[in-house]
Amino acid sequence: MPAIELLQRLLQRLRYRPSARSRARRCAAGVLLLVLAACDNTTTAEHMAEAEALLDRKAYRAAIIELKNAIQKDLEFAPARQALGDAYLKTGDFASALIELERALNLGGDERAARLGIIRAKLGLNRVQEVIGELGDRELDTQESLLLGEAYLLAGRYQEARPLFEAGRDDAAGLAGLAAVAWSEGNLPQAQALYEQALEKDPDTASYWLRLAELRLRAEQYDEAIAAFAEAAKLPLGQVMGRIGEVRTLVARQDLDTAATRVEEVLTLAPDFPLAKYLKGLIAYQRDDIDAAEAALRDVQTSYPSHAPTAYLMGLVKFKQDQPAQAERNLQRYLAADPNSLSARKLLATLFVERGEPDRAVEILSPMAGRTKDAQLFAMLGSALMQTGRAAEATEFLQQAVQLDPEGASFRNQLALSLLSSGEDELAMAQLDAAVEVDGQQFQSDYLQALVSLRKGDLTRAETAIANLSAKAPDSPIGPNLMGAVAIARDEPKAAEVQFRKALAIDDGFAPARNNLVRLYEARGEGGAALALLKERTEAAPGDYAARLGYAEKLVASGQLDEARSQLERVVSLRPNLVAGRLALSRAQLLLGDSDAASAVLEDGLAVADRNIDLLAAKADLQLQTGELEGAAATTRKLQAAAVNLAPNPALSYVIGGLQLRLGELDQAETSLQTAIARSGGSNTAAQLDLASVQLRKGRVGEAAQTLAAVRAQLSEDDPQAARLQLLEADVLTAEGKPQEAQKIYGELAALGNREGSLRLATAQLGSGDAQAGLDGLKAWVAGHPADQAARILLAGALLTAGEQDAAIAEYEALGGTGNAVVLNNLAWLYQQQGDERAVTTGRLAWEAAPDNADVADTYGWILVSQGRLAEGIKLLKESVRLRPGSPTSLYHLAVAYQRAEEPALARESVQEALKAERFPEREEAQALLRELDS
């Protein structure tokens, strides 16, 4: 059919009528088609014959071009559309195949062949239920039955698929279907045999070769797998996946160089193929080229963010790069796709334990405990439980690990540790003996036996265990270190030093021996030698963060704070996720008076481990020290929420109770402290002392006295808690109206240099009419302890009360860099009293530091009103009244502001509300204002 006739027929179908305006352009198009037709004299039949020849040679893409040429010659040529649809099926373009086969069917093509092709296309497009609906309710021939079987396979209905494939066993598709069913049942050898039979009948189906290759790969038949993948790669639907399979096989047999070359060939063929980039990342990871692995995996995640294997491998990469937050994020993403992955859960648990969060390790491992019999998982779960204090549960899981793997000496050692933590020394020793019998070459059991014997004072048995250990591991520093401990127990310090030095000669990085030697020097009063030993190690091994941390802590103890901070900053840079390093650096920054830097160190740690109880407790404590009461309350609540998921822990309950006490949350503090006392069997004297403080502040003086009497019965005179007990006993005397007796105790403690005694004595003197003695006491303490911010705040307040405004300003200015809202608020008020223009700026800083503090809003608002900025001042004073309804001072200030803003009705309303309070400093001024307004 000539090209112009094809165009005319098409235009008629579209009911197209060219307009006069476009007729010239349409004529030009007709001329062009005539020219093209004149150039192409090939007939439809000739194009069709060429396409058939190409199809016989499996040159499907070239055949598709010829078939399209044939269809262009005759749009209604059904055989060409039928062949084109079949060619699309061969190349995996199922959407195009469906279109062409449906057109062929409508044009009167081979109905049976077209319908079978349409069903295959729908299966390729995963329209499984549609196919089942079409075929499931009628009589089927063999080919249709096999296609229905494939649909059932895709739907996971293997038992329904089996009889259909059995019936078509003489066909390659039937054998392949039975192979898939056998695979689903775990019978991999049978599946492999069936695929081999299917390929004897039909060697041109790429999916059969790919599945056979996969089975051979699983069976570690690497050469045979590569051969099968190579056959798949020769076929259109297997070109890429066949090559990918070959790379996977090369990786499996650790031929990484060849695998790297092959994966680049795949990327040349398919530059954006995510699986090839993933394999490139995997090869780089196995070559320990972590940066290259990350780069390749990042490419995959950019184009294919849901690819689960990439998330898992990126988790491993980030784990190696010591980036736990990103490692956790990737592993959690992988677990969302594969929640039953043991390896991912174990890696996450390891991450949590290393980060000091064993409770989260328990959380991630526990769901698998009832679904698997994996000894390592039970051992990890038991160890994590032991770290959270749940010894009984830990022992149960560790016993299961030993039962699952009786030959696992490491599991028996872990079980022994759990039993030791529960006080079951004899049972622990029995497990250690069994571990030695199971594996006589490992020395960990001898080590634990030595430790148990040392703890029990059985030095002879300890020496026997150490001798066994040293015989098995003569080049280990553990043996000499333990012998040093035995020498210490025998009170032979010189012999101990020789042994510790011997251990360090074997391994100069062995921290236990160095720490023991440091303690030995300190016990002999040789602090300089201890410090020099640690410094020597940090200079010899700059990357030894543990030695550097120990050195820094000794520097802090000796008052060398600047050098300590420098060392601790290096520790944090070496191990940014080490909580102990961050806590020590934060303490050093605070001792140096840089509370902002101290806070930043903790915040950086919490950005990685936001539920770490040590960091949260330290942050709350710091916030309390700097007057950030709202922030401290929020952090304490977060700490309490994190504690809910932990095992009952009396020490943590005590910490939370102490924070709540300092916040003034007395009811909550009492509950937490009573919990701490109950969980410790009544032996937590520190919690009992805090409880007495709560009882005193609640006015229950008699109960406080009883609590303190119980503590007094438990404590010796040299107990570290004795001074605290005396302070509280003096507080009870004060509450009972016996100030002289109380001051006597405070004075005795102050004479010993006790901080709380000194400050309590000064405070008592200030309140008893001996103000000058109190001021002198505070000045003397601050002069001797200039970094004590709380004491300086107390002194500044006392000076303010005494009317010594210039001296108070000097103290507050010395504290201005702390960012303490109370300090800034009082300083702003003093500046305002003296007409200092800095009042507005300082008031704003105070309000920015504590925007929810009613006193701060009142001070800043009153300063603004005094400066004539009435609108801003009124807004802040209204906020102060909102924050503390009924505050007479804020209401009076607001009334003055309204009066100056010529709002007499609002001024009268505010001052009348203020005067409902019987007493407040500005009452006389408020009464005068009301009289003025009424007149």
Side-chain angles (χ1 to χ4, degrees), residues 210-490:
L210 290 172
R211 291 168 190 168
L212 174 61
E214 189 68 36
L215 287 165
R216 289 175 172 174
L217 176 56
R218 292 189 179 211
E220 298 184 5
Q221 301 169 357
Y222 297 132
D223 290 337
E224 294 86 345
I226 287 176
F229 280 127
E231 289 296 328
K234 297 175 184 177
L235 300 168
L237 287 182
Q239 284 183 342
V240 174
M241 292 310 297
R243 288 175 170 82
I244 286 289
E246 183 182 0
V247 173
R248 289 174 53 228
T249 308
L250 291 166
V251 170
R253 72 178 184 188
Q254 288 298 291
D255 186 355
L256 299 181
D257 292 339
T258 308
T261 301
R262 293 286 187 274
V263 83
E264 292 299 336
E265 292 172 1
V266 176
L267 286 168
T268 301
L269 185 66
D272 297 321
F273 192 51
L275 188 52
K277 292 180 179 179
Y278 163 76
L279 287 170
K280 183 176 180 179
L282 178 61
I283 293 164
Y285 178 82
Q286 294 203 3
R287 284 173 152 178
D288 207 28
D289 187 349
I290 303 303
D291 291 340
E294 181 187 18
L297 296 173
R298 188 75 64 201
D299 276 352
V300 181
Q301 290 186 326
T302 300
S303 59
Y304 190 10
S306 62
H307 189 237
T310 296
Y312 180 78
L313 187 54
M314 186 66 92
L316 290 171
V317 166
K318 293 301 174 185
F319 186 84
K320 278 205 168 188
Q321 291 177 332
D322 199 22
Q323 297 179 31
Q326 293 189 45
E328 178 185 349
R329 189 158 48 248
N330 279 283
L331 290 169
Q332 293 284 21
R333 188 186 304 168
Y334 177 76
L335 278 176
D338 184 8
N340 295 321
S341 172
L342 274 178
S343 59
R345 287 185 181 272
K346 289 177 186 177
L347 185 57
L348 258 181
T350 302
L351 187 70
F352 291 145
V353 168
E354 285 192 358
R355 214 160 66 187
E357 299 179 89
D359 56 306
R360 296 190 72 188
V362 171
E363 182 182 326
I364 204 72
L365 294 172
S366 293
M368 301 305 295
R371 305 183 210 167
T372 184
K373 295 298 181 184
D374 185 273
Q376 187 185 42
L377 180 131
F378 284 126
M380 291 179 69
L381 182 53
S383 296
L385 284 164
M386 190 161 57
Q387 291 181 51
T388 63
R390 295 154 68 177
E393 294 174 75
T395 301
E396 180 182 339
F397 281 108
L398 289 167
Q399 285 173 336
Q400 290 186 58
V402 170
Q403 290 170 5
L404 288 166
D405 186 2
E407 302 301 311
S410 63
F411 299 154
R412 291 188 181 276
N413 290 332
Q414 287 179 311
L415 177 56
L417 281 173
S418 179
L419 291 166
L420 287 171
S421 69
S422 304
E424 300 282 359
D425 289 7
E426 294 306 320
L427 290 175
M429 293 295 275
Q431 286 297 331
L432 295 173
D433 289 337
V436 172
E437 290 180 15
V438 166
D439 183 358
Q441 296 306 308
Q442 57 90 26
F443 61 83
Q444 289 82 359
S445 304
D446 300 300
Y447 172 68
L448 292 172
Q449 284 179 330
L451 289 180
V452 176
S453 300
L454 273 168
R455 188 174 76 177
K456 296 175 70 176
D458 188 347
L459 302 184
T460 301
R461 186 171 183 180
E463 286 176 322
T464 301
I466 296 167
N468 292 335
L469 183 158
S470 297
K472 295 173 185 176
D475 296 329
S476 170
I478 295 174
N481 184 57
L482 287 172
M483 285 304 296
V486 171
I488 292 287
R490 294 190 190 279

Side-chain angles (χ1 to χ4, degrees), residues 51-52 54-55 58-68 79-94 96-98 100-101 117 236-237:
E52 288 172 347
L54 290 167
L55 288 171
K58 300 183 180 63
Y60 298 112
R61 299 193 186 282
I64 286 171
I65 294 172
E66 288 299 324
L67 290 167
K68 286 182 176 180
R81 292 198 178 276
Q82 177 86 50
L84 181 58
D86 290 339
Y88 279 137
L89 284 176
K90 295 288 188 183
T91 59
D93 187 351
F94 299 112
S96 298
L98 184 61
E100 294 302 332
L101 290 167
L237 287 182

Side-chain angles (χ1 to χ4, degrees), residues 178-232:
L178 288 172
V181 172
W183 193 337
S184 73
E185 295 171 343
N187 192 343
L188 303 189
Q190 183 183 15
Q192 184 171 333
L194 286 165
Y195 277 127
E196 288 170 351
Q197 293 175 41
L199 283 163
E200 290 176 4
K201 294 178 177 290
D202 178 10
D204 296 332
T205 299
S207 62
Y208 299 169
W209 284 113
L210 290 172
R211 291 168 190 168
L212 174 61
E214 189 68 36
L215 287 165
R216 289 175 172 174
L217 176 56
R218 292 189 179 211
E220 298 184 5
Q221 301 169 357
Y222 297 132
D223 290 337
E224 294 86 345
I226 287 176
F229 280 127
E231 289 296 328

Side-chain angles (χ1 to χ4, degrees), residues 745-761:
I745 297 175
Y746 294 145
E748 291 172 354
L749 290 167
L752 296 172
N754 181 277
R755 177 184 183 276
E756 296 302 326
S758 301
L759 299 183
R760 291 274 224 292
L761 177 61

